[in-house]
């Protein structure tokens, strides 16, 4: 067992070394990063929360504001621009390792899990890119960790994570569900009411200062299959379908199309298994 412990520590150290070397490599900004830099340099803080971003970009406004204020203090040098993404991925790795160590009982499984991080090109690459993806990994890890730990007052803070990470929105119903169970089983309804009030307030602010001004129709038409349009009911479901299809299949292969098509079959099996597994849990909680 000590051998696997050292293997896990070595793999974890290898991943951290990879992202650190990648961060200090200071490769030139590529197209997407240049588009974000344009907004950092040319948009005032007031503009960030009141106008669509330049270059058809979509970015959590509060997180972009934090990046802007930090990097401008260092004349937008490469290390400053990529510092927050690097820090986010560093702590995301720590959070997800804590989750895995709690969930995976076998040292071998934990070693394989750690190896998956060290072998993942996206998890290494996005640790040093001027984008929001490492923050998404961190926020998702924090949300899952809070679910594991059970209810605490920190849950009331979670709705505000949507200001820095769009995927946080999809985690919020899970916390509401658990608070509903808490109210039904123990008669404690105040946490659910408080959480619902905070969530509605956070979503309203998020919509007004972010979604409302994102020009989703133009962005959605240009980046078809990558963003969801909220301009009409038909446009929403059309772009939702394309986005889900892209999300499911793109990570397996870009081309040829037959490989992307085949990947949907296997992901579909996983989704069906997840839904089937949910039903016994739903019955166990006596909702049917």
């Amino acid at each position: 067992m000590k051998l696997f412990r050292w293997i896990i520590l070595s793999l974890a150290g290898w991943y951290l070394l990879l992202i650190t070397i990648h961060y200090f490599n200071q490769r030139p900004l590529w197209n997407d990063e240049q588009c974000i830099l344009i907004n950092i340099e040319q948009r005032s803080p007031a503009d960030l929360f009141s106008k669509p971003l330049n270059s058809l970009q979509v970015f959590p406004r509060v997180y972009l504001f934090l990046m802007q204020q930090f990097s401008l203090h260092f004349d937008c040098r490469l290390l400053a621009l990529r510092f927050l993404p690097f820090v986010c991925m560093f702590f995301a790795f720590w959070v997800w390792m804590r989750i895995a160590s709690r969930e995976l009982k076998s040292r071998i499984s934990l070693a394989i899990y750690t190896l998956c991080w060290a072998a993942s090109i996206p998890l290494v690459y996005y640790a040093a890119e001027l984008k929001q993806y490492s923050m998404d990994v961190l926020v998702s890890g924090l949300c899952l960790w809070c679910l594991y730990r059970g209810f605490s007052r920190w849950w009331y803070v979670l709705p505000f994570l949507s200001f820095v990470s769009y995927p946080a929105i999809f985690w919020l119903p899970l916390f509401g569900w658990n608070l509903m169970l808490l109210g039904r089983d123990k008669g404690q309804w105040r946490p659910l009411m408080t959480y619902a009030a905070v969530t509605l307030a956070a979503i309203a602010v998020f919509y007004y200062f972010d979604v409302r001004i994102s020009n989703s129709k133009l962005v959605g038409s240009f980046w078809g299959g990558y963003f969801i349009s909220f301009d009409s009911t038909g446009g929403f479901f059309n772009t939702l379908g394309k986005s889900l299809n892209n999300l499911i299949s793109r990570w397996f292969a870009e081309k040829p199309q037959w490989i992307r098509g085949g990947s949907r079959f296997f992901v579909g099996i996983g989704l069906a298994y997840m839904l089937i597994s949910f039903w016994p849990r739903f019955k166990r909680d006596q909702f049917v």
Side-chain angles (χ1 to χ4, degrees), residues 185-200:
D185 296 338
K186 298 184 178 181
Q188 300 178 14
W189 293 103
R190 180 174 294 180
L192 176 60
M193 292 186 291
T194 303
Y195 177 80
V198 172
T199 299
L200 290 175

Side-chain angles (χ1 to χ4, degrees), residues 69-133:
Q69 297 306 303
F70 180 83
S71 59
L72 287 177
H73 282 293
F74 299 93
D75 298 322
C76 290
R77 299 179 186 275
L78 287 177
L79 291 180
L81 290 169
R82 292 169 173 155
F83 179 74
L84 292 183
F86 172 71
V87 171
C88 286
M89 191 64 87
F90 188 95
F91 282 103
F93 177 64
W94 179 77
V95 172
W96 281 100
M97 285 298 296
R98 289 290 302 273
I99 294 171
S101 62
R102 177 170 177 167
E103 180 68 17
L104 302 175
K105 306 304 180 183
S106 168
R107 292 282 187 180
I108 298 177
S109 299
L110 187 57
I112 295 174
Y113 174 85
T114 312
L115 178 61
C116 289
W117 273 78
S120 171
I121 293 176
L123 289 174
V124 174
Y125 181 78
Y126 289 122
E129 188 186 43
L130 182 58
K131 298 291 284 186
Q132 67 268 45
Y133 304 129

